[in-house]
Amino acid sequence: MSAGVFVASKSPTWDLVKSAGGMAADALLGSFPAASLLKRGAGAVAECYKAQTERRYEEFVRAALEGDVFPENAEDMSAEELMGMLRLCMADIEQKKAPLYGRLAKAIAQNKVPANFGPPLMVALSTLTLQQAERLRRAWVAKQHTLLPAQGSGNKSPADFLGNKGGVLDRRDHAALVSQSLVEGEQLTSLGNHLVEACFLREELTPEAIGERVWLPGVLVTISYDLDQPDVLRFVEVLANVARSQAIKCGPAGAPQDADRARPLWMIAQRPFVVIVGQHASRLLDHMTVFERPFARGFQPIVVFLNGCDAAVSESLRAAVVIDAKEESQPVAELVVRHVLNVLSNAKS
């Protein structure tokens, strides 16, 4: 396949579009309402159809050639199969899917999908709407990454994007994906995964590309032996909300009684952890064995005193950061989270 594929039309309408500063053909298609176009007669309709066809060919070929050059000796896709793919692309009602067809053709030609998957993928793509293909893309990203949900500390799952639990149009999309064997239950099938990986660029398969955020690795462990105090509980809640706003997952505050019971906490913990001290500092001092494991692993405590500092606690915890919380909970929580982000940033460098 050569650059000669990109041949401009010699029609007056096309020349007019080109002379207007390289305006895309879709500007022509979008410039007239349907009624206005029909009033202009069969010639105008034919010109618009020709512009649409040429644009779609260009988008298809451009997508097939992007990145690595389309292999000239690509024996995994015959000329007949390529023409079949083009016919599907031309017949598709959604013009914006042309790049997806081009990329799928390239993936098949480069043997990046199993040979027996080629025809089913071509047919499946021809039946999908652009919105349904987008659902597959988002579900694929959700499977690969820990996406923040709208609320809570869990993760978004592929099911959140596939439409099975939404309104009638959402469920219609889900049924269409299932009918093409691209989705089974709430997960993409191997056929669905291959379609996404073939039709979308790697940079289009990231959380940022679909407007989502991911949790930072690990869980911010919060420990307090004063969880019977209202001010401690309030601070725990505010801290969790502030941390979440920065994509830091906060586990429920705990008061482990010994090192063995604390072990599961440290297995998932981020390097910084938070200790909240209320009115009873002695309670914390009675449980110092709980911190032996994180100290041995180089974890860094951030100690928040809600009722005045206690020197014995600070010394026992080898605290690098001590916060005497004399302000409202919100600014103190924001200060804690800044320290957490600083520790995490230094750990990466």
Side-chain angles (χ1 to χ4, degrees), residues 32-95:
F32 305 115
S36 174
L37 182 61
L38 289 173
K39 289 178 182 178
R40 290 173 175 267
V45 173
E47 288 298 330
C48 271
Y49 184 80
K50 180 183 289 187
Q52 179 194 56
T53 300
E54 184 156 357
R55 180 188 63 184
R56 205 175 287 197
Y57 273 119
E58 288 189 357
E59 290 177 347
F60 178 95
V61 175
R62 188 181 302 115
L65 291 174
E66 65 189 349
D68 299 330
V69 175
F70 196 94
E72 295 182 2
N73 61 341
E75 298 177 357
D76 294 294
M77 173 172 273
S78 65
E80 183 178 357
E81 289 172 325
L82 179 62
M83 290 303 103
M85 179 80 82
L86 276 169
R87 282 193 295 273
L88 287 173
C89 181
M90 291 302 109
D92 199 310
I93 192 171
E94 290 201 70
Q95 301 172 29

Side-chain angles (χ1 to χ4, degrees), residues 143 174 216-217:
K143 181 67 174 179
H174 182 268
L216 293 176

Side-chain angles (χ1 to χ4, degrees), residues 19-338:
S19 66
M23 188 186 305
D26 57 348
L28 172 67
L29 298 173
S31 60
F32 305 115
S36 174
L37 182 61
L38 289 173
K39 289 178 182 178
R40 290 173 175 267
V45 173
E47 288 298 330
C48 271
Y49 184 80
K50 180 183 289 187
Q52 179 194 56
T53 300
E54 184 156 357
R55 180 188 63 184
R56 205 175 287 197
Y57 273 119
E58 288 189 357
E59 290 177 347
F60 178 95
V61 175
R62 188 181 302 115
L65 291 174
E66 65 189 349
D68 299 330
V69 175
F70 196 94
E72 295 182 2
N73 61 341
E75 298 177 357
D76 294 294
M77 173 172 273
S78 65
E80 183 178 357
E81 289 172 325
L82 179 62
M83 290 303 103
M85 179 80 82
L86 276 169
R87 282 193 295 273
L88 287 173
C89 181
M90 291 302 109
D92 199 310
I93 192 171
E94 290 201 70
Q95 301 172 29
K96 293 182 180 180
K97 280 168 56 183
L100 304 188
Y101 282 103
R103 293 168 188 167
L104 178 57
K106 179 180 177 180
I108 294 173
Q110 291 181 323
N111 200 26
K112 290 184 177 180
V113 297
N116 59 325
F117 276 21
L121 288 175
M122 292 166 61
V123 173
L125 181 58
S126 72
T127 67
L128 298 183
T129 66
L130 190 62
Q131 176 174 298
Q132 290 161 359
E134 179 66 14
R135 287 186 183 277
L136 290 176
R137 175 170 79 122
R138 290 174 176 272
W140 188 95
V141 174
K143 181 67 174 179
Q144 306 298 320
H145 301 274
T146 56
L147 304 182
L148 270 74
Q151 58 186 8
S153 59
N155 304 325
K156 282 188 176 180
S157 70
D160 293 314
F161 299 101
L162 293 175
N164 193 34
K165 299 177 182 178
V168 62
L169 294 180
D170 296 313
R171 295 195 301 274
R172 178 179 179 274
D173 283 349
H174 182 268
L177 297 173
V178 171
S179 71
Q180 291 298 325
S181 300
L182 300 170
V183 168
E184 186 173 308
E186 302 295 355
Q187 299 289 335
L188 271 65
T189 63
S190 58
L191 193 68
N193 283 316
H194 279 297
L195 184 66
V196 171
E197 292 162 10
C199 290
F200 293 97
L201 303 177
R202 300 310 296 181
E203 56 265 30
E204 295 173 335
L205 296 176
T206 65
E208 296 78 13
I210 63 170
E212 299 287 345
R213 295 195 302 158
V214 298
W215 290 111
L216 293 176
V219 174
L220 180 61
V221 168
T222 305
I223 292 178
S224 179
Y225 293 93
D226 291 302
L227 294 174
D228 54 346
Q229 294 177 216
D231 59 338
V232 172
L233 293 176
R234 281 196 301 271
F235 182 74
V236 167
E237 181 179 0
V238 172
L239 177 61
N241 290 333
V242 174
R244 191 186 189 285
S245 71
Q246 298 299 318
I248 298 171
K249 183 180 290 189
C250 248
Q257 298 303 301
D258 55 51
D260 288 338
R261 295 180 188 179
R263 184 173 300 171
L265 287 176
W266 306 125
M267 291 177 64
I268 60 172
Q270 295 172 337
R271 183 171 295 275
F273 65 96
V274 179
V275 179
I276 304 172
V277 185
Q279 296 176 355
H280 307 289
S282 59
R283 294 179 181 177
L284 178 63
L285 293 172
D286 290 339
H287 296 86
M288 291 308 300
T289 57
V290 165
F291 302 100
E292 292 175 354
R293 181 178 295 272
F295 289 158
R297 295 172 62 184
F299 284 17
Q300 301 179 32
I302 300 172
V303 184
V304 180
F305 291 100
L306 297 183
N307 297 98
C309 291
D310 186 288
V313 169
S314 299
E315 183 177 348
S316 298
L317 285 176
R318 313 168 200 173
V321 178
V322 175
I323 299 174
D324 188 0
K326 297 178 180 178
E327 303 179 61
E328 294 295 325
S329 296
Q330 182 76 21
V332 175
E334 292 172 355
L335 179 59
V336 170
V337 168
R338 285 199 295 272

